[in-house]
Amino acid sequence: MAEYFFDTYAIVEFIGGNESYINLFKHGGVTTRLNLMGLYYQILKRLGKKVAKKTYSRFLSHVVDVDDVIIMESMDFRLRMRKKGKQFSYVDAVGYIVAEKNKVKFLTGDGEFKGLHNVKFVK
């Protein structure tokens, strides 16, 4: 059973060898193809297409679907947070709602999420 939603930030930290993330990834987790898109881009810039494809493929088994309800709730969340001065990307908003829907903690080190409900914030 998954315990966390792996934000792109969390996956990058895990791949980079951050011990805090390595330990948390042992508990299992889910992510979205949107997060893998961001991961692919970051790896592509740094290490090239071959490594980016391999890394993307490594996390495909963790992907959960994003349906229309999640999309709409994500944009509601994004707008509510914007009114509070928080700037979330579309992908981050979707991930946060996916975490809630899957009853897992949103794992990240992104400062915008610090202090929010259902977030495991790790640097």
Side-chain angles (χ1 to χ4, degrees):
M1 175 106 183
E3 200 168 315
Y4 296 105
F5 176 87
F6 299 146
D7 180 36
T8 305
Y9 184 107
I11 298 171
V12 168
E13 289 296 313
F14 170 76
I15 291 168
N18 182 325
E19 284 295 323
S20 298
Y21 282 91
I22 290 170
N23 292 330
L24 293 171
F25 268 58
K26 292 176 185 174
H27 298 279
V30 297
T31 194
T32 68
R33 285 187 193 281
L34 298 171
N35 292 91
L36 294 186
M37 174 182 66
L39 174 67
Y40 181 88
Y41 183 73
Q42 288 184 34
I43 301 296
L44 180 65
K45 284 191 312 186
R46 296 177 191 162
L47 303 171
K49 189 178 273 192
K50 184 176 179 182
V51 176
K53 282 183 175 183
K54 184 177 179 182
T55 306
Y56 183 96
S57 296
R58 179 179 176 191
F59 289 95
L60 279 174
S61 64
H62 297 279
V63 168
V64 295
D65 287 330
V66 174
D67 63 21
D68 295 330
V69 171
I70 289 173
I71 289 170
M72 288 182 252
E73 288 184 20
S74 299
M75 294 307 97
D76 292 344
F77 167 75
R78 186 171 187 248
L79 182 58
R80 279 194 319 274
M81 292 297 104
R82 185 180 182 110
K83 289 177 180 177
K84 294 180 180 183
K86 298 238 182 221
Q87 298 294 321
F88 292 114
S89 68
Y90 294 119
V91 174
D92 284 343
V94 168
Y96 185 81
I97 298 303
V98 167
E100 283 188 341
K101 295 289 185 187
N102 285 275
K103 296 179 173 51
V104 295
K105 292 273 188 192
F106 185 87
L107 178 61
T108 192
D110 181 340
E112 287 292 301
F113 287 97
K114 195 170 188 177
L116 287 183
H117 169 74
N118 200 46
V119 172
K120 175 77 173 178
F121 185 82
V122 178
K123 275 299 193 184

